[in-house]
Amino acid sequence: MYAESDYLLLSGLQHLHFCPRQCAFIHLEQLWNENYFTASGRVQHEKVHSGVSESRKIVRTERDLKIASSLLGLVGKTDAVEFYSDGKIIPIEYKHGEPKEDSTDEVQLCAQVICLEEMLKCSISEGAIYYFKIRKRISIPITNELRTETVNLSKKFHELIASEKTPKAEYTKKCESCSFIDECFPETAGRRKSVNSYIKRRLSLDLLMDDE
């Protein structure tokens, strides 16, 4: 259990899952950069959070709920949570793109579930993720494996912040979609990488984008 003074932002789990260095840039060094992906996601999330509560026959939808968990040591806000007349509760996370190959989005959703369970003294067996790119809502079972992964990632998040150290760059394919790529220089990581080759590649990519 964590003290409230040690709570971190729940959104950091997604940053850490994507890249520890990116997570440190945002949550240790207090940096933030925008690119097409982050800007589009921000605009879509603003629309979600600007919505009001609504009620239908068997379900009430609440938006922008403040949530926290002493187990995870996290605090944040939900996009939307559905409360059904039979007692079922389903948190919904909205994402800009499409389903990922890894569990990045599922872990963030599971963290919201754990927060809601702790605050509402309830049990939640499923959540959902709505992807704007494919315009589809996908049901996500909250399994024991996903819960364990979420708890472990939360511990790593706290350890990273406590270390006060930004991890070294490690280039992977997903670096190309990161808004910090120009500050991070991930392609210079390793003995066989060079700053000159990195700059040439970035210039070629910029020229291609200008031609589109």
Side-chain angles (χ1 to χ4, degrees), residues 6 30 34 65 80 121 123-124 127 134 152 170 172 184 196 198:
D6 295 326
Q30 304 297 307
E34 286 237 299
L65 294 179
K121 310 298 181 186
S123 178
I124 300 174
I134 62 174
N152 289 338
E170 182 177 344
T172 64
C184 181
N196 286 335
Y198 168 78

Side-chain angles (χ1 to χ4, degrees), residues 25 33 35 171 174-187 198 201-202 205:
F25 277 158
N33 275 355
N35 60 11
Y171 180 75
K174 60 187 178 183
C175 290
E176 297 299 330
S177 64
C178 179
S179 62
F180 287 105
I181 189 168
D182 291 326
E183 288 77 19
C184 181
F185 287 95
E187 290 183 279
Y198 168 78
R201 186 163 188 270
R202 292 304 300 168
L205 285 173

Side-chain angles (χ1 to χ4, degrees), residues 14-212:
Q14 185 177 33
H15 300 143
L16 179 59
H17 201 296
F18 180 80
C19 172
R21 186 170 170 84
Q22 184 201 69
C23 183
F25 277 158
I26 298 171
H27 299 276
L28 268 178
E29 301 186 26
Q30 304 297 307
L31 301 176
W32 179 253
N33 275 355
E34 286 237 299
N35 60 11
Y36 169 78
F37 302 104
T38 59
S40 297
R42 176 177 53 77
V43 170
Q44 288 170 336
H45 264 85
E46 286 175 353
K47 291 180 179 179
V48 171
H49 285 279
S50 64
V52 297
S53 301
E54 58 181 297
S55 294
R56 286 176 286 174
K57 290 182 179 180
I58 62 170
V59 60
R60 185 180 84 256
T61 303
E62 296 288 347
R63 305 181 190 280
D64 219 19
L65 294 179
K66 293 182 179 180
I67 55 175
S69 167
S70 60
L71 172 64
L72 302 178
L74 300 176
V75 62
K77 290 184 179 181
T78 64
D79 285 343
V81 183
E82 293 178 340
F83 294 88
Y84 289 81
S85 57
D86 62 0
K88 183 170 62 176
I89 299 174
I90 299 180
I92 307 168
E93 179 69 11
Y94 288 79
K95 294 298 180 184
H96 163 68
E98 57 189 350
K100 299 177 177 61
E101 294 181 358
D102 59 27
S103 59
T104 301
D105 296 339
E106 286 84 351
V107 165
Q108 186 177 11
L109 178 66
C110 184
Q112 294 179 19
V113 166
I114 293 174
C115 288
L116 289 168
E117 288 180 331
E118 190 174 316
M119 296 174 67
L120 302 176
K121 310 298 181 186
C122 66
S123 178
I124 300 174
S125 61
E126 67 174 301
I129 302 175
Y130 181 89
Y131 290 96
F132 283 100
K133 188 171 183 178
I134 62 174
R135 297 183 180 181
K136 185 176 181 180
R137 169 172 164 167
I138 298 177
S139 179
I140 306 296
I142 307 301
T143 63
N144 289 333
E145 291 76 15
L146 181 57
R147 290 175 184 272
T148 298
E149 182 182 4
T150 303
V151 171
N152 289 338
L153 191 64
S154 298
K155 291 179 181 177
K156 291 181 181 179
F157 186 21
H158 281 274
E159 290 169 357
L160 173 64
I161 299 303
S163 74
E164 298 183 346
K165 295 180 180 179
T166 298
K168 294 181 180 179
E170 182 177 344
Y171 180 75
T172 64
K173 188 176 181 179
K174 60 187 178 183
C175 290
E176 297 299 330
S177 64
C178 179
S179 62
F180 287 105
I181 189 168
D182 291 326
E183 288 77 19
C184 181
F185 287 95
E187 290 183 279
T188 66
R191 295 178 181 177
R192 298 181 181 177
K193 302 293 184 178
S194 70
V195 174
N196 286 335
S197 62
Y198 168 78
I199 292 175
K200 289 179 180 179
R201 186 163 188 270
R202 292 304 300 168
L203 286 174
S204 65
L205 285 173
D206 290 340
L207 289 173
L208 285 174
M209 292 180 67
D210 291 337
D211 291 337
E212 291 181 352

